[in-house]
Amino acid sequence: MTEKSDTLIFTQRRKIIAEAAKVCFSRSGFHGGSISDLSRETGMGPGQLYRHYKSKTDLINEVVRIIAAEWRNFLTERLMHLTELLHILDGQSPFWQGWSSQNHALLLEAYSEAARNKEVREILWKEELLLIETLCFRNEGKIKYSSDRIRLILIVIDGFLCRIFREEKLDLEELKKIESFLFEIE
């Protein structure tokens, strides 16, 4: 085998392990998911897993990097075309289509881990800064974003993610007042 093919195989196995870790961690959490679970999910022995990731912490950080980047990309796409706050607060709206329950569980796990783990907190913070920068400079939709407005919207979204409520009788007039405060719709 050539060095290039060895590198390709190594990279592919890391991706397989990371994807399997997403499955295990979404089921059991970062600390509930074990290397044994991951070994069963991948079909690789623990030694192979540790060859690709030095520790479970390294693997957790990799999964957080992946889910944080996916979250940033998801929000960038959705917020660029957002026209009504109501869409954020309705878990059945098109705004949330494409964000899986697995991703949801992993993101919540990442937020929880950020309270304990400085590395995870920094990974999430960097992705949030990229999101803010992207939205501030790409105003393709009807809503004009400032960094403060984006942070406020993220607080609303994060709160929604943590609670996942579905209020059937939202006060639409009150929601419109909040919406006008958050957004300047032209």
Side-chain angles (χ1 to χ4, degrees):
M1 279 200 192
T2 67
E3 188 177 324
K4 185 177 180 179
S5 65
D6 286 347
T7 302
L8 181 61
I9 291 169
F10 186 83
T11 302
Q12 288 172 336
R13 285 195 179 150
R14 278 182 64 91
K15 286 180 182 178
I16 290 168
I17 294 166
E19 286 302 312
K22 286 173 63 177
V23 171
C24 290
F25 293 154
S26 70
R27 265 194 318 247
S28 305
F30 290 148
H31 300 288
S34 69
I35 294 299
S36 300
D37 295 335
L38 187 55
S39 186
R40 277 190 297 279
E41 189 72 33
T42 62
M44 296 179 200
Q48 287 179 297
L49 299 174
Y50 283 119
R51 190 152 146 236
H52 292 86
Y53 291 94
K54 293 184 290 187
S55 67
K56 185 176 172 187
T57 301
D58 286 344
L59 184 55
I60 289 170
N61 289 344
E62 180 66 14
V63 169
V64 170
R65 275 186 207 88
I66 292 167
I67 200 65
E70 289 174 1
W71 180 236
R72 175 182 44 83
N73 291 331
F74 177 85
L75 285 179
T76 299
E77 173 64 29
R78 294 311 191 275
L79 291 174
M80 288 300 236
H81 302 98
L82 182 67
T83 57
E84 291 185 40
L85 181 62
L86 179 61
H87 294 150
I88 292 174
L89 300 176
D90 178 2
Q92 304 304 310
S93 77
F95 182 89
W96 292 105
Q97 289 178 358
W99 190 251
S100 70
S101 59
Q102 175 181 297
N103 283 353
H104 184 98
L106 287 170
L107 188 62
L108 289 177
E109 192 68 24
Y111 285 158
S112 295
E113 186 67 16
R116 299 180 289 270
N117 182 323
K118 183 180 178 186
E119 274 185 89
V120 168
R121 196 167 39 252
E122 288 176 6
I123 292 166
L124 293 172
W125 180 246
K126 286 178 185 175
E127 289 295 335
E128 185 174 302
L129 290 176
L130 281 171
L131 173 67
I132 290 168
E133 181 180 307
T134 301
L135 290 174
C136 284
F137 293 106
R138 282 182 42 197
N139 282 316
E140 298 166 7
K142 294 182 180 181
I143 298 169
K144 303 300 177 198
Y145 291 109
S146 68
S147 60
D148 290 337
R149 182 171 287 129
I150 295 167
R151 284 189 174 92
L152 188 54
I153 292 167
L154 291 175
I155 289 168
V156 170
I157 290 171
D158 290 346
F160 180 80
L161 278 173
C162 291
R163 296 200 49 181
I164 295 294
F165 66 90
R166 178 128 196 242
E167 182 68 41
E168 294 296 330
K169 297 181 182 180
L170 290 173
D171 182 338
L172 295 178
E173 288 304 312
E174 190 64 26
L175 191 58
K176 288 291 180 192
K177 290 177 191 173
I178 294 168
E179 188 174 59
S180 69
F181 172 74
L182 289 176
F183 308 123
E184 292 174 13
I185 300 177
E186 297 177 359

